[in-house]
Amino acid sequence: MFAHNVIIRIVAIGAYIASTCTVAILSGFLWYFVQAEIPQGPTEPGRKTVIAWLYVPSLMLHSLLFGLKVYRFVTSPKYMQRDTFLWRFLTE
């Protein structure tokens, strides 16, 4: 995405590695809680589930990558902003 900006690439790769490690660590810590919740089926409306915490690092990573995509769109030349993503995808 950012071939000429080393800092942004390092931040994106670091965020990916941090997200992967965090999910692995959370999975290890929350394994018994997740096993206890799975056989019960759907949770009650007022009860919070532990499984949702496993999605938080991925949500943060995807938010960062979406922000970088918006940044790239805003800083791109006007001719690239004029064409839609789908049109560029189909022409390539």
Side-chain angles (χ1 to χ4, degrees):
M1 231 163 74
F2 294 93
H4 301 293
N5 199 335
V6 178
I7 295 172
I8 293 178
R9 285 191 305 182
I10 290 172
V11 167
I13 292 169
Y16 178 77
I17 292 170
S19 174
T20 304
C21 292
T22 305
V23 168
I25 291 169
L26 279 175
S27 298
F29 283 135
L30 301 176
W31 180 250
Y32 295 108
F33 295 112
V34 171
Q35 281 184 333
E37 285 187 7
I38 289 176
Q40 295 175 1
T43 60
E44 298 141 12
R47 187 170 164 229
K48 297 187 182 195
T49 179
V50 176
I51 298 173
W53 283 102
L54 295 174
Y55 294 103
V56 171
S58 299
L59 176 68
M60 292 172 44
L61 175 66
H62 283 84
S63 299
L64 173 73
L65 293 177
F66 180 73
L68 288 175
K69 186 179 280 191
V70 169
Y71 172 75
R72 185 181 73 169
F73 178 76
V74 169
T75 59
S76 67
K78 292 294 180 189
Y79 72 89
M80 287 186 75
Q81 291 181 3
R82 193 175 55 229
D83 295 335
T84 62
F85 173 74
L86 181 62
W87 177 252
R88 286 188 303 195
F89 179 74
L90 292 175
T91 57
E92 291 176 1

